[in-house]
Each structure stands twice: as structure tokens, then as C-alpha cells.
Amino acid sequence: MTSTFKKSLPRSAGFTIVEILVGLLIGTLLIYTMYFVFAQNEKASRVTSAISETQMSGMQTMYLMEQIVSDAGSGFMYNSVPKELLNCPDPSGSGASGLEGVFVLANGSGGDLITKPLPAVINYQEVNTARLDELYVFSGASAIYNDALVAPQIPANLSTSGSNTFNVPLNFAVGDVLVGINNAKQCETYRVTQSQQSTPGGALSVLMSGSSNLSGLSSVVNLGQASHFRFFVNDRHELQMDQYAFTGTGWSMLASMILASNIQMFSAQYGIDSSTPPDGVVDSWVNANDSDWTIPMMRGANLEKIKQIRAVRIGVIVATTEPEKADQPQAASTLTLFESEAPSVSFTAPSVDVGSLKYRYRKYEAVIPLRNVSWAN
């Protein structure tokens, strides 16, 4: 009997089309899930980073402004110097101070706001119901004298074509701004270009640039390295700081810096000591549109009125730069600056519908005492 054996053939290696499609589907789902999780994490990371950046930039901005504003008036707000400068009439009779070369504040339209030496000036502004004030700060960074120089310390006339002899114990610095005042209380500004002292405490030989039209000088004020800062909100809703230095005939911008972005409100107020006699304590806060503290009133302010300003307080409301999608509706909400003591300033955050983009808001405030000697007395 003969047996017949059939050799079985092995199955071909590989996947069926159904197995391949199932694998592709599972892989696609895994990739989509991973992408969705990654996108959500990336979104959360951006929002968290934006919140952190807003907090840091806000704190750094307030710190920088506190340092600059607290130095307002240094270099010229002491002893007899403010009275000397504030009493300077304009020789042309136009009503300005005669110090246009040094103390002109120009607004965004190019108009003159202030033409006299005021340490801190607030320009009240509302843009589409939002408070976007401007704050100007003046200082003389390295003035070395605590009073106006008078005869025999100064020459009778100052020359910009030759050397001028000052009998003072300390040297001037190149770049110092000098204000010459004659017996008629007319004023001129100069800038030191060279200063030499042959022996310590001896006569000082000074070369200057600027105008030289006055004679019979009664006093000279050294403002040191005169500078001013302008804080304002630009067209991109950024809080910007511009720094200027006096060149002898006008202001030259040294630096411009963006301090914070997405600014919704920037408000500044004067702290006023209204006690009689003054006790050095802030009795009330006023906006710069108050009838007694507007720009025109500040133009005509005397020293006693200026000394009423004991502090400046500033407030900023900033929105995060990274919006979030709202998962539930939110009604309009109000954020208020200076709630502790009137006058307060309010900002209304808009309402948000489900699925719309929303922003987070944060407010910063600071009260800055003005620490120069004249105002402390």
C-alpha cells in the first residue's frame, strides 16, 4: 500500500490590508492626542509666561519710576536756588521764565507746556475715556553747590568767547549747566565745556557755550548735569520713558526705553500739603486737571505753591499680552486705582462671551515722596 504525503507550504510573511488600516487609525489617533496635549500645554505655558512677564515688567517699571521721581528737583531745589530761578521773568515779555533753553516741556503736538524749573509736572490726559497721563521729571544730577553763587564768587559778566573766573572751592564738571541771573532778574543758560583749577581751592577757570547777552550778574546757579525724563503711553499702548540731557542750547535725547506693554491706564497725581503752616504731610491728592494744579496754574506758581507738592503717586493698569479663550461668559468688571484715598481712577474691562478671547488685568500703584531738601523744610 502506497501512502502519498503532501508538503504544506508556509504562509507568506506580512499584514493584511485590514491590519494595516487598523494600525494607521491607531497611530493617527495617538498622534492627534499627543498634538492636542502638546498644544494645550503650549497654550497654558504661553499664558503663564505672559502673566509672569506682566508681573515682572510691572514691578520693574514701578521700581524704576520710584527711583527717578524721588530724585526730582535734585540739583536746583534747595535753599535760595528755586527762588532765584522762579523769579526770572522773560526778557522778551512773553510771560515765560527766561529759561526756555533748559526748562521747556513739549507735548506730543510740539506745544510748550512749562518754561520754568519745576521738579515734577503732570500733564493730565484722557484718550477715549482712558486716563493716559504724561509725567515729566527734572533734576540736576551732579550739582555740587547748595546755594546760588554770588559776588565775589562770580564774574560780573559771563563770556562764551573766553575764560571766566569763579572763586569757588570745588571744580565744575564738563557738561554742568549754569544759569546766570542779572540785577533785573533776567536769565541766561550756559554749558561748561572746560573747567580747570590751578590749585585745590583756588580760582576756577571755566569755558562755556551758550548765549552771552546779559551784564551785571547778581548770581549764578549750577544745575549740574541737567536732565529730564518723560513717561507717557505711546500709540502702541506701551509705557515709554524718554531721557534727555541739556546740551547748552536745547535738549538732546539720550535714550528711549519701553517699560511695559499693553497699558490700559496710566495715572499720576500730586500729593498736597495744604496745612498752614506746612507740616510736611500730604493732606490730599489731586489730579492735574484740578483748577489749582493745571499746567497754566503751574506756569505761574511761586515757590510756596510748588513746595506744597510733597509726593507723587502713580498707578498703572496693564493687560496680559497673551489672550485666553473664555469657557464661560464674563460680565464687564471695574478695576480702580487709588481706592484707599480719593480721588480714585477707574477702568472698565469689557464683557466676554463664551469662546471669545479674554485678557487678564493687573494694577500697580506707588506713592513716591519727593525727597529734596527744599521741600522737606
Side-chain angles (χ1 to χ4, degrees):
M1 183 173 180
T2 304
S3 297
T4 304
F5 296 95
K6 292 184 178 179
K7 187 177 181 181
S8 59
L9 298 175
R11 180 182 176 184
S12 300
F15 298 98
T16 66
I17 187 68
V18 174
E19 291 173 328
I20 292 174
L21 290 176
V22 170
L24 287 174
L25 177 61
I26 294 173
T28 301
L29 291 174
L30 288 173
I31 292 173
Y32 174 79
T33 302
M34 292 174 62
Y35 175 79
F36 179 78
V37 172
F38 174 79
Q40 291 297 106
N41 288 340
E42 178 68 16
K43 178 67 174 178
S45 176
R46 288 200 303 270
V47 171
T48 302
S49 177
I51 295 173
S52 177
E53 181 182 347
T54 299
Q55 292 175 334
M56 289 300 297
S57 64
M59 290 187 292
Q60 291 172 352
T61 296
M62 300 307 283
Y63 174 79
L64 178 62
M65 293 186 69
E66 285 182 47
Q67 299 303 304
I68 293 175
V69 175
S70 64
D71 199 42
S74 66
F76 62 88
M77 286 301 293
Y78 40 51
N79 296 345
S80 68
V81 171
K83 186 175 294 186
E84 292 279 352
L85 296 179
L86 290 173
N87 287 339
C88 286
D90 180 12
S92 67
S94 65
S97 69
L99 299 178
E100 293 86 346
V102 180
F103 292 104
V104 167
L105 289 178
N107 61 20
S109 303
D112 293 347
L113 296 180
I114 293 290
T115 53
K116 68 193 313 179
L118 301 175
V121 178
I122 301 169
N123 184 28
Y124 181 97
Q125 292 194 123
E126 285 193 18
V127 180
N128 297 326
T129 72
R131 280 285 295 280
L132 298 174
D133 293 339
E134 289 180 298
L135 174 62
Y136 297 85
V137 178
F138 284 95
S139 64
S142 62
I144 56 178
Y145 293 98
N146 293 324
D147 214 332
L149 305 176
V150 296
Q153 296 172 304
I154 62 173
N157 305 306
L158 293 181
S159 170
T160 55
S161 59
S163 178
N164 300 272
T165 300
F166 288 82
N167 296 303
V168 291
L170 298 175
N171 203 346
F172 291 164
V174 173
D176 278 358
V177 175
L178 306 181
V179 178
I181 307 168
N182 69 5
N183 293 318
K185 298 302 180 183
Q186 296 172 326
C187 302
E188 283 185 335
T189 53
Y190 319 90
R191 185 171 183 268
V192 175
T193 58
Q194 183 178 326
S195 182
Q196 293 182 333
Q197 201 163 28
S198 55
T199 60
L204 187 65
S205 178
V206 179
L207 298 180
M208 304 181 305
S209 61
S211 57
S212 181
N213 301 313
L214 298 183
S215 59
L217 294 180
S218 61
S219 61
V220 172
V221 174
N222 180 3
L223 299 180
Q225 307 289 311
S227 63
H228 88 245
F229 295 84
R230 177 192 179 206
F231 298 93
F232 67 101
V233 178
N234 63 25
D235 294 337
R236 299 182 299 276
H237 289 276
E238 300 165 328
L239 182 57
Q240 182 171 330
M241 179 189 75
D242 292 344
Q243 180 183 5
Y244 299 82
F246 186 65
T247 62
T249 56
W251 291 100
S252 176
M253 183 181 290
L254 290 181
S256 182
M257 180 186 303
I258 302 301
L259 303 180
S261 302
N262 230 9
I263 300 298
Q264 307 300 305
M265 182 171 290
F266 174 52
S267 177
Q269 297 176 342
Y270 296 118
I272 305 301
D273 174 10
S274 55
S275 300
T276 305
D279 57 9
V281 177
V282 171
D283 298 308
S284 62
W285 295 93
V286 296
N287 288 311
N289 68 338
D290 184 282
S291 59
D292 289 331
W293 299 99
T294 61
I295 292 293
M297 289 298 294
M298 294 293 280
R299 285 197 187 105
N302 58 26
L303 181 58
E304 294 307 312
K305 184 176 181 65
I306 292 173
K307 288 171 65 175
Q308 286 186 272
I309 305 174
R310 295 285 174 166
V312 170
R313 69 177 179 183
I314 53 178
V316 178
I317 294 178
V318 59
T320 54
T321 55
E322 186 69 29
E324 308 169 59
K325 185 172 289 187
D327 54 7
Q328 57 184 356
Q330 293 184 358
S333 57
T334 300
L335 287 81
T336 304
L337 295 172
F338 316 135
E339 291 181 279
S340 61
E341 191 171 355
S344 60
V345 182
S346 297
F347 164 77
T348 301
S351 59
V352 179
D353 298 324
V354 174
S356 299
L357 294 180
K358 68 174 184 178
Y359 293 86
R360 300 195 187 194
Y361 299 90
R362 189 172 179 87
K363 65 179 183 179
Y364 300 89
E365 299 176 8
V367 175
I368 309 171
L370 298 172
R371 301 179 300 192
N372 41 80
V373 175
S374 177
W375 292 4
N377 292 334

